[in-house]
Amino acid sequence: MNQKVLKAFIELANTGNFQRAAERLCVTQSTLTKQIQALEGELGLNLFSRIKSGTILNKNGQLLFNEINNILTAYDLLRHKAITLTNPNDLTVGFGMATRDLAPALINEFTKKCPQKNITLIDLSTSLQNEKLLSGELDLAFMREQSSTPLKQMIVRRDRLLLIYHPSKKSFVETHDISDILKNNKIFCIDAHACSGTHHITSTFVKSITSASNLKEISSYTNIFSLVKENFGNALVPESAWYDEHKDILSLTINHPLTEWNIVMAWNEKFNNTLRDDVIDYCHAAIMNTSWRSV
């Protein structure tokens, strides 16, 4: 029984589908089938039942699910502890678009003071940062605040939605409220694949104030700005995505509780790391002493 086999069991249990589980594990469906058969053979138990829509855990699988999940968690803890002991000067930090100006600058200043420390910055979505913090693959993250999470979080700034529009629409925007603007104009937003969190915030806000949804999902902020620049429609984007060079299109701050959210430093306290704690203390002090709290 090895880690790959146990991970195969958990992934298949979570997805209920051999093809999707194999894709997420980056193995062939045949390999996944052999891994599950090997686990069942070693345990002497059948763990899954076939149904029309895929595969589900049977009673044996349900009883063993938490135990196997706990084994994998313990393995991750052991691996992270070993890495910390052998590489006490190494740290991996995640960040995204909302802190593209903040995280690199802070880490750069810290490494100037502690040049012997090796800190790697990785550009990741909030969902991936959250996943890797939980598994111990990431030591620290700058990301959107998560609810109902075991992670420790410290607010570093606020982000919010802006309405982006062409100058020719200035008179209309200035004389109408946001619900009228959303009803009477095509509204571009980032798609769920590119940024699921921002997409959810945007769609939730729009649905809360108008039943007529004109949202059009676009794959990148660069493309959104290009479309607005050429007057194909308006857009809702995070303030953190707004670039100073877009002087030829205009923005409007939206005052609504659903359009604001926190950006945090997040970490997993299950994993001890003195270098991470030093970086957190440094970043917190630096943010408190500067204007970095706003975008």
Side-chain angles (χ1 to χ4, degrees), residues 54-88:
T55 304
I56 61 171
L57 289 172
N58 61 21
K59 186 176 180 180
N60 293 330
Q62 291 172 6
L63 291 172
L64 291 176
F65 180 85
N66 286 337
E67 295 297 328
I68 291 176
N69 206 35
N70 289 339
I71 290 171
L72 287 173
T73 299
Y75 178 87
D76 286 336
L77 286 167
L78 176 62
R79 182 182 61 177
H80 190 273
K81 182 64 176 178
I83 292 172
T84 302
L85 292 174
T86 56
N87 299 291

Side-chain angles (χ1 to χ4, degrees), residues 179-216:
S179 61
D180 289 332
I181 296 170
L182 298 181
K183 286 178 186 176
N184 294 288
N185 291 271
K186 183 183 294 182
I187 305 295
F188 301 116
C189 71
I190 198 71
D191 68 26
H193 179 73
C195 188
S196 59
T198 301
H199 178 269
H200 175 72
I201 290 169
T202 304
S203 59
T204 299
F205 164 64
V206 171
K207 289 176 183 177
S208 74
I209 63 173
T210 176
S211 57
S213 177
N214 295 314
L215 280 180
K216 305 296 179 183

Side-chain angles (χ1 to χ4, degrees), residues 64 73 121 132 138 153 165 167 175 195 208 233 263 269 272 279:
L64 291 176
T73 299
L121 279 163
K132 292 182 180 296
L138 200 62
Q153 301 181 100
Y165 59 97
T175 56
C195 188
S208 74
I263 303 298
E269 288 190 313
N272 295 320
V279 171

Side-chain angles (χ1 to χ4, degrees), residues 39-165:
L39 178 61
E40 290 179 327
E42 188 169 351
L43 294 175
L45 296 168
N46 291 325
L47 302 173
F48 293 91
S49 297
R50 291 279 190 172
I51 57 174
K52 286 185 178 180
S53 60
T55 304
I56 61 171
L57 289 172
N58 61 21
K59 186 176 180 180
N60 293 330
Q62 291 172 6
L63 291 172
L64 291 176
F65 180 85
N66 286 337
E67 295 297 328
I68 291 176
N69 206 35
N70 289 339
I71 290 171
L72 287 173
T73 299
Y75 178 87
D76 286 336
L77 286 167
L78 176 62
R79 182 182 61 177
H80 190 273
K81 182 64 176 178
I83 292 172
T84 302
L85 292 174
T86 56
N87 299 291
N89 293 323
D90 289 353
L91 197 74
T92 304
V93 180
F95 76 106
M97 179 196 65
T99 57
R100 68 189 188 281
D101 62 321
L102 176 65
L106 287 171
I107 298 304
N108 182 49
E109 290 302 313
F110 180 86
T111 52
K112 286 180 180 178
K113 297 178 181 296
C114 304
Q116 74 278 15
K117 307 300 183 184
N118 179 33
I119 302 180
T120 302
L121 279 163
I122 304 178
D123 181 10
L124 296 169
S125 66
T126 288
S127 59
L128 282 175
Q129 289 187 71
N130 184 66
E131 178 183 319
K132 292 182 180 296
L133 283 173
L134 291 172
S135 70
E137 297 176 71
L138 200 62
D139 300 302
L140 181 64
F142 291 79
M143 65 185 198
R144 187 172 52 256
E145 185 177 30
Q146 303 291 290
S147 59
S148 303
T149 177
L151 298 175
K152 187 74 174 179
Q153 301 181 100
M154 180 185 295
I155 298 173
V156 296
R157 67 166 31 153
R158 295 278 287 172
D159 206 351
R160 57 189 176 182
L161 287 180
L162 298 178
L163 176 75
I164 307 299
Y165 59 97

Side-chain angles (χ1 to χ4, degrees), residues 97 190 195 198 219-226 236-238 241 243:
M97 179 196 65
I190 198 71
C195 188
T198 301
S219 61
S220 74
Y221 289 113
T222 299
N223 290 343
I224 288 175
F225 292 132
S226 295
L236 291 172
V237 303
Y243 305 111

